Amino acid sequence: AQALLAGEAREFVLDYSYDMWSLGMMLYELSTGSPYFKKGSNVAKELCSNSFTVDVSNVPDAKLRDLIGNCLNMDPKKRPDITGFLLHPYFITTGIGPFSF
């Protein structure tokens, strides 16, 4: 978001942690039935605001809420990699959706 607002989006290199952010946003929307950001909002500007904090309290399942919160960590280095994602207690204790191992 900062690179976009600074006009440096074309030069900015994304790594897997940004995919985890996107996955967290998708899971948030699937679990709550609504997008994280309101339609028409300036997402980049909101993300760069000093007052912005991630709020996943609308996610009904506690383990899924924790998983989504991990994916939406504002520090890209603290987001899970795919192994950490799949080994999260949400998957280990509940299986994937209605399926369990």
Side-chain angles (χ1 to χ4, degrees):
Q2 292 172 344
L4 177 67
L5 292 178
E8 301 167 354
R10 290 185 184 264
E11 295 83 28
F12 190 76
V13 177
L14 298 175
D15 65 11
Y16 74 88
S17 68
Y18 292 89
D19 293 333
M20 282 294 134
W21 173 272
S22 298
L23 181 57
M25 283 291 167
M26 181 189 72
L27 290 172
Y28 179 89
E29 187 165 343
L30 288 172
S31 66
T32 64
S34 60
Y36 189 90
F37 294 99
K38 306 233 181 305
K39 187 175 182 177
S41 65
N42 186 332
V43 175
K45 194 172 184 178
E46 282 189 50
L47 289 172
C48 289
S49 167
N50 289 336
S51 63
F52 178 80
T53 57
V54 174
D55 178 13
V56 292
S57 61
N58 289 338
V59 177
D61 182 272
K63 289 178 183 166
L64 182 57
R65 184 172 45 249
D66 182 67
L67 176 61
I68 293 171
N70 291 343
C71 291
L72 299 181
N73 193 310
M74 291 300 290
D75 182 350
K77 293 178 179 134
K78 293 184 180 177
R79 295 178 196 147
D81 59 12
I82 192 64
T83 303
F85 178 83
L86 292 173
L87 292 176
H88 186 276
Y90 176 73
F91 294 114
I92 292 181
T93 59
T94 60
I96 298 176
F99 305 103
S100 183
F101 301 100

